Amino acid sequence: MPRITPNLWFDTQGKEAAEFYVSVFPDSRITHVSYYGEAGPGPAGTVLTVDFVLGGSPFTAINGGPQFTFTEAVSLLVDCANQEEVDHYWARLGEGGQEGPCGWLKDRYGLSWQVVPAALGELLEDPDPERAQRAMKAMLGMHKLDVAALRAAADGA
Protein backbone atom coordinates (compact mmCIF):
# COMPACT_ATOMS: atom_id res chain seq x y z
CA MET A 1 0.00 0.00 0.00
CA PRO A 2 1.44 3.41 -0.87
CA ARG A 3 2.09 5.87 1.92
CA ILE A 4 -0.02 9.02 1.89
CA THR A 5 1.65 12.18 3.18
CA PRO A 6 -0.18 15.49 3.52
CA ASN A 7 1.73 18.20 1.67
CA LEU A 8 1.17 21.68 3.10
CA TRP A 9 1.81 24.64 0.78
CA PHE A 10 3.41 27.73 2.32
CA ASP A 11 4.70 30.93 0.73
CA THR A 12 8.16 30.98 2.34
CA GLN A 13 7.61 29.92 5.96
CA GLY A 14 7.42 26.11 5.62
CA LYS A 15 10.47 25.43 7.80
CA GLU A 16 9.35 27.91 10.45
CA ALA A 17 5.89 26.30 10.51
CA ALA A 18 7.32 22.77 10.70
CA GLU A 19 9.58 23.81 13.59
CA PHE A 20 6.56 25.27 15.38
CA TYR A 21 4.40 22.18 14.80
CA VAL A 22 7.06 19.74 16.05
CA SER A 23 7.41 21.88 19.20
CA VAL A 24 3.67 21.47 19.90
CA PHE A 25 3.20 17.70 19.53
CA PRO A 26 5.04 14.83 21.24
CA ASP A 27 6.70 12.18 19.07
CA SER A 28 7.45 14.83 16.44
CA ARG A 29 10.58 15.81 14.53
CA ILE A 30 11.91 17.27 11.31
CA THR A 31 13.34 14.47 9.19
CA HIS A 32 14.66 16.24 6.07
CA VAL A 33 15.06 19.69 4.53
CA SER A 34 15.66 20.25 0.81
CA TYR A 35 16.71 23.48 -0.88
CA TYR A 36 16.10 25.18 -4.19
CA GLY A 37 18.99 24.90 -6.63
CA GLU A 38 20.05 27.19 -9.46
CA ALA A 39 17.13 25.97 -11.62
CA GLY A 40 14.67 27.57 -9.18
CA PRO A 41 11.91 28.53 -9.27
CA GLY A 42 12.75 29.80 -5.77
CA PRO A 43 16.04 31.55 -4.98
CA ALA A 44 18.95 29.10 -4.86
CA GLY A 45 19.74 28.01 -1.33
CA THR A 46 16.32 28.78 0.13
CA VAL A 47 14.15 26.04 1.65
CA LEU A 48 12.08 24.08 -0.87
CA THR A 49 10.57 21.31 1.29
CA VAL A 50 10.59 20.18 4.89
CA ASP A 51 9.66 16.62 5.78
CA PHE A 52 8.46 16.22 9.35
CA VAL A 53 6.56 13.87 11.62
CA LEU A 54 3.74 15.00 13.93
CA GLY A 55 2.62 12.53 16.55
CA GLY A 56 3.97 9.71 14.39
CA SER A 57 2.30 10.88 11.14
CA PRO A 58 4.39 12.14 8.20
CA PHE A 59 3.91 15.58 6.63
CA THR A 60 5.71 17.69 4.06
CA ALA A 61 5.81 21.48 3.91
CA ILE A 62 6.65 23.10 0.59
CA ASN A 63 7.62 26.72 0.09
CA GLY A 64 5.80 27.14 -3.21
CA GLY A 65 5.10 30.87 -3.20
CA PRO A 66 2.07 33.04 -2.58
CA GLN A 67 -0.20 31.52 -5.27
CA PHE A 68 -2.10 29.25 -2.87
CA THR A 69 -3.24 29.74 0.70
CA PHE A 70 -5.00 27.58 3.26
CA THR A 71 -8.77 27.57 3.65
CA GLU A 72 -11.06 25.87 6.14
CA ALA A 73 -11.89 23.33 3.41
CA VAL A 74 -8.96 21.33 4.81
CA SER A 75 -8.21 21.11 8.51
CA LEU A 76 -6.20 18.93 10.84
CA LEU A 77 -8.11 17.26 13.68
CA VAL A 78 -6.47 16.94 17.09
CA ASP A 79 -8.22 14.19 19.06
CA CYS A 80 -7.85 15.13 22.72
CA ALA A 81 -8.38 12.72 25.60
CA ASN A 82 -9.59 15.37 28.04
CA GLN A 83 -10.02 19.08 28.78
CA GLU A 84 -6.38 19.45 29.80
CA GLU A 85 -5.27 18.37 26.32
CA VAL A 86 -7.88 20.63 24.68
CA ASP A 87 -6.59 23.58 26.71
CA HIS A 88 -2.96 22.80 25.85
CA TYR A 89 -3.38 22.37 22.10
CA TRP A 90 -5.85 25.24 21.81
CA ALA A 91 -3.39 27.59 23.50
CA ARG A 92 -0.31 26.41 21.60
CA LEU A 93 -1.83 26.18 18.12
CA GLY A 94 -3.71 29.43 18.64
CA GLU A 95 -0.57 31.45 19.48
CA GLY A 96 -0.69 34.30 16.98
CA GLY A 97 -3.66 32.72 15.22
CA GLN A 98 -7.40 33.20 15.21
CA GLU A 99 -10.13 31.40 17.16
CA GLY A 100 -13.06 30.01 15.25
CA PRO A 101 -16.35 28.40 16.23
CA CYS A 102 -16.96 24.84 17.42
CA GLY A 103 -13.40 23.95 18.37
CA TRP A 104 -11.81 25.29 15.17
CA LEU A 105 -8.91 27.70 15.00
CA LYS A 106 -6.43 28.99 12.45
CA ASP A 107 -2.80 28.97 13.48
CA ARG A 108 -0.39 31.83 12.74
CA TYR A 109 0.28 30.33 9.29
CA GLY A 110 -3.40 30.16 8.34
CA LEU A 111 -3.74 26.37 8.70
CA SER A 112 -7.05 25.28 10.25
CA TRP A 113 -7.16 22.91 13.20
CA GLN A 114 -10.03 21.23 15.03
CA VAL A 115 -9.21 20.69 18.70
CA VAL A 116 -11.77 18.15 19.88
CA PRO A 117 -12.23 16.25 23.14
CA ALA A 118 -13.20 12.58 23.01
CA ALA A 119 -16.24 13.47 25.10
CA LEU A 120 -17.74 15.40 22.20
CA GLY A 121 -18.20 12.28 20.08
CA GLU A 122 -19.68 10.42 23.03
CA LEU A 123 -22.16 13.22 23.69
CA LEU A 124 -23.17 13.76 20.06
CA GLU A 125 -23.75 10.02 19.65
CA ASP A 126 -25.69 9.63 22.90
CA PRO A 127 -28.53 7.11 22.52
CA ASP A 128 -30.87 9.77 23.90
CA PRO A 129 -31.37 12.13 20.94
CA GLU A 130 -32.43 15.00 23.19
CA ARG A 131 -29.14 14.81 25.15
CA ALA A 132 -27.22 14.71 21.88
CA GLN A 133 -29.08 17.75 20.54
CA ARG A 134 -28.48 19.75 23.73
CA ALA A 135 -24.77 18.96 23.48
CA MET A 136 -24.76 19.97 19.80
CA LYS A 137 -26.50 23.26 20.57
CA ALA A 138 -23.95 24.00 23.31
CA MET A 139 -21.02 23.17 21.01
CA LEU A 140 -22.34 25.50 18.31
CA GLY A 141 -22.09 28.40 20.78
CA MET A 142 -18.47 27.71 21.78
CA HIS A 143 -15.07 28.59 20.42
CA LYS A 144 -12.73 26.38 22.51
CA LEU A 145 -14.72 23.31 23.50
CA ASP A 146 -15.48 22.95 27.21
CA VAL A 147 -16.15 19.36 28.26
CA ALA A 148 -17.86 20.27 31.55
CA ALA A 149 -20.16 22.75 29.82
CA LEU A 150 -20.97 20.23 27.09
CA ARG A 151 -21.84 17.58 29.67
CA ALA A 152 -23.94 20.06 31.66
CA ALA A 153 -25.82 21.07 28.53
CA ALA A 154 -26.43 17.44 27.60
CA ASP A 155 -27.79 16.85 31.11
CA GLY A 156 -30.15 19.79 30.68
CA ALA A 157 -28.42 22.00 33.25
Side-chain angles (χ1 to χ4, degrees):
M1 171 116 167
R3 185 170 92 177
I4 298 170
T5 302
N7 191 335
L8 306 174
W9 182 293
F10 295 87
D11 182 0
T12 60
Q13 68 278 53
K15 187 170 185 241
E16 176 186 324
E19 288 170 342
F20 172 66
Y21 299 145
V22 302
S23 79
V24 171
F25 295 96
D27 189 22
S28 301
R29 66 195 176 286
I30 292 176
T31 57
H32 182 74
V33 179
S34 67
Y35 299 87
Y36 281 106
E38 293 300 323
T46 61
V47 173
L48 170 60
T49 63
V50 180
D51 295 323
F52 59 104
V53 174
L54 293 182
S57 296
F59 289 82
T60 297
I62 183 168
N63 286 332
Q67 299 90 326
F68 302 108
T69 57
F70 296 117
T71 73
E72 290 84 356
V74 173
S75 63
L76 300 179
L77 177 72
V78 182
D79 285 314
C80 298
N82 52 43
Q83 187 67 51
E84 182 181 357
E85 284 188 4
V86 168
D87 294 345
H88 170 75
Y89 290 112
W90 185 267
R92 287 299 315 279
L93 292 168
E95 292 171 5
Q98 179 182 8
E99 291 186 3
C102 307
W104 289 59
L105 62 81
K106 281 188 184 182
D107 67 28
R108 66 181 84 165
Y109 305 101
L111 183 59
S112 291
W113 297 82
Q114 298 176 59
V115 182
V116 181
L120 180 65
E122 297 164 14
L123 291 166
L124 297 181
E125 296 174 14
D126 193 289
D128 178 348
E130 290 181 14
R131 284 191 90 239
Q133 287 304 302
R134 288 190 299 264
M136 173 67 84
K137 184 177 180 181
M139 181 205 60
L140 292 172
M142 295 179 181
H143 284 259
K144 178 177 76 171
L145 299 182
D146 180 325
V147 174
L150 290 166
R151 288 190 191 286
D155 292 339

